[in-house]
Amino acid sequence: MNEAQRHIFLYRGWRFAYGARRMATGVYRPEVVCLGQQPGAEETMLPDDTDEIAYATEAEALRHAQQQAMRWVHDRTGDGQGQL
C-alpha cells in the first residue's frame, strides 16, 4: 500500500495503517499493517483473516481492514470479539 492510500487507525493503544488495493479483476482487497504501540516500532503486515477477501467497493474493503485490526488486538489481549 502506498503512502497516499494509507489511512491510520488507533485502537486500544495500537496503531495501524490500512488501505484497499484494487486488483486486476476490479475487486478490492483490504491490507492492514500493525505499526505497534510506540513510534518507530517495526511494521508488521497482518495476514489475511479469511480465505476469500474480495470486496466490490473500496469502502467495504476499508471497513473490513478496520475490523481486522480490531480482531487482531482482541486476539492478543484476551478481550474476545464481543466488544466489536
Side-chain angles (χ1 to χ4, degrees):
M1 122 186 53
N2 67 42
E3 291 297 320
Q5 297 172 324
R6 255 169 94 133
H7 304 277
I8 301 298
F9 180 63
L10 303 173
Y11 186 71
R12 294 191 171 199
W14 290 87
R15 295 177 319 117
F16 297 91
Y18 68 99
R21 180 181 304 269
R22 185 162 188 191
M23 308 306 289
T25 58
V27 297
Y28 292 87
R29 288 183 57 88
E31 294 181 343
V32 185
V33 176
C34 179
L35 303 175
Q37 292 182 296
Q38 305 288 330
E42 185 176 332
E43 294 186 9
T44 305
M45 179 70 87
L46 270 57
D48 292 340
D49 62 349
T50 183
D51 291 337
E52 293 295 323
I53 298 182
Y55 293 93
T57 68
E58 182 179 22
E60 289 174 314
L62 292 174
R63 275 193 300 276
H64 179 94
Q66 282 187 333
Q67 292 170 351
Q68 182 181 356
M70 293 166 67
R71 281 190 296 273
W72 188 90
V73 169
H74 288 244
D75 288 349
R76 278 143 189 84
T77 61
D79 289 340
Q81 294 184 13
Q83 299 177 18
L84 292 178

